[in-house]
Amino acid sequence: MQPIVQPFFDPVTGTVTYVVFQSGHPECAVIDPVLDYDPKAGRTSTTNADKVIEFVRQHGLGVQWILETHAHADHLSAAHYLRGELGGKIAIGEHICIVQAVFKKLFNLEPGFHVDGSQFDHLFREDEAFSIGGLTAKALYVPGHTPADTAYQIGDAVFVGDTLFMPDVGTARCDFPGGDAHRLYGSIRKLLDLADDVRFFMCHDYPPEGRKPEWETTVLAQRAHNIHVHDGVTEEQFVSMREARDATLAMPVLILPSVQVNIRAGNFPPPEDNGVSYLKIPLDAL
């Protein structure tokens, strides 16, 4: 089963949002939608999400699922906005509760913020099967980048989240709270054990100079050419490389605003008594 995959690339955050559906069927899923955010002004907009909405409506599709691969640290999620415009269930892996607990403490969130995943409409169990119209799908638990990453296998396509990047870019960092390079290696090998012709779709691309953004590759290409984890790279070699590399990386520009929104399924914090929602910036905490 080969789904139709329509990508939407955001050059500001390097994020790729996908609409996934089957020819002849109206049901679709939206994966990792982006809410635009200007960190200088603290202002949000819906330019990226509105492109998705336009595509869905023009093609007569109905959104069944809005799927998050994890609580992103590099962009705010437009899941809440899209659900209001198009419907569908917002879903993420069940281990989001671990991430919520960590960041509720970091941000000293309001007592009414529950760390049980109830902000989402559905929490996927490991290897849980589901459907998108006539497409069969499965949620794959792939921790390492965070403790709660989930990839989605839909027909012959896998949306890998932040486990892998394009082969010439490598793999995701593991130095966020709860990240673990050993676990990421195991998750990546789990994905690379799939059939050679399975299509992988990246959540991000940060192309080297001279290459245009790309987001589709295969198991075979990753096993042969991924600069961090091609066949022959041992777990010890990968962990040593990943930990040394992570020690040199700055925090993502949007990690503090984005995580606060994304652990709420794309919703904003409750407005204060003046009707305005505020994001917190913990000082000297990361």
Side-chain angles (χ1 to χ4, degrees):
M1 217 179 321
Q2 189 172 64
I4 297 170
V5 179
Q6 177 63 46
F8 298 84
F9 181 71
D10 172 32
V12 176
T13 65
T15 305
V16 193
T17 298
Y18 298 98
V19 177
V20 186
F21 60 103
Q22 185 180 16
S23 179
H25 293 256
E27 300 88 354
C28 72
V30 178
I31 302 176
D32 290 333
V34 173
L35 184 71
D36 303 280
Y37 178 73
D38 178 356
K40 295 179 180 178
R43 184 173 296 277
T44 63
S45 60
T46 59
T47 301
N48 273 292
D50 289 338
K51 293 176 183 176
V52 174
I53 292 170
E54 181 182 14
F55 178 87
V56 167
R57 289 175 174 165
Q58 283 185 347
H59 288 77
L61 300 173
V63 174
Q64 190 172 354
W65 295 98
I66 302 170
L67 303 174
E68 298 282 11
T69 55
H70 61 294
H72 307 273
D74 37 41
H75 69 270
L76 278 66
S77 170
H80 180 78
Y81 171 69
L82 284 181
R83 186 179 62 182
E85 295 292 320
L86 298 174
K89 293 182 178 181
I90 303 174
I92 199 167
E94 63 181 346
H95 295 86
I96 187 62
C97 304
I98 300 171
V99 177
Q100 289 178 324
V102 169
F103 284 103
K104 179 174 183 176
K105 182 178 180 180
L106 177 69
F107 292 114
N108 194 30
L109 298 180
E110 70 277 6
F113 178 82
H114 300 295
V115 295
D116 58 2
S118 57
Q119 299 81 359
F120 298 81
D121 299 312
H122 185 80
L123 301 180
F124 284 113
R125 302 182 306 277
E126 183 173 359
D127 294 330
E128 180 178 346
F130 62 105
S131 62
I132 304 165
L135 293 167
T136 58
K138 184 165 68 170
L140 306 175
Y141 182 43
V142 287
H145 172 61
T146 79
D149 283 59
T150 296
Y152 297 103
Q153 185 173 11
I154 305 171
D156 76 328
V158 178
F159 299 85
V160 300
D162 277 13
T163 54
L164 287 163
F165 298 142
M166 292 298 290
D168 60 352
V169 179
T171 60
R173 64 195 298 167
C174 299
D175 59 334
F176 296 155
D180 186 290
H182 289 280
R183 298 188 80 187
L184 181 61
Y185 182 86
S187 295
I188 290 171
R189 295 313 310 181
K190 174 180 177 179
L191 294 174
L192 296 183
D193 282 342
L194 297 171
D196 286 353
D197 59 352
V198 166
R199 297 182 291 163
F200 280 171
F201 290 90
M202 310 295 105
C203 182
H204 298 284
D205 189 36
Y206 310 108
E209 187 174 353
R211 174 169 74 71
K212 294 181 179 179
E214 298 176 6
W215 40 79
E216 181 179 349
T217 182
T218 63
V219 170
L220 183 62
Q222 290 282 12
R223 292 183 62 166
H225 302 298
N226 188 287
I227 60 173
H228 293 165
V229 72
H230 57 78
D231 282 354
V233 175
T234 67
E235 181 173 349
E236 291 73 20
Q237 290 171 329
F238 174 78
V239 170
S240 177
M241 176 282 301
R242 189 69 266 170
E243 291 181 347
R245 182 174 175 81
D246 289 349
T248 70
L249 299 177
M251 283 289 105
V253 172
L254 297 184
I255 184 172
L256 292 174
S258 64
V259 170
Q260 292 177 72
V261 170
N262 296 344
I263 60 175
R264 300 176 187 269
N267 210 347
F268 296 157
E272 298 193 10
D273 55 11
N274 62 354
V276 176
S277 293
Y278 291 85
L279 297 173
K280 293 184 173 183
I281 303 296
L283 298 178
D284 303 322
L286 286 181

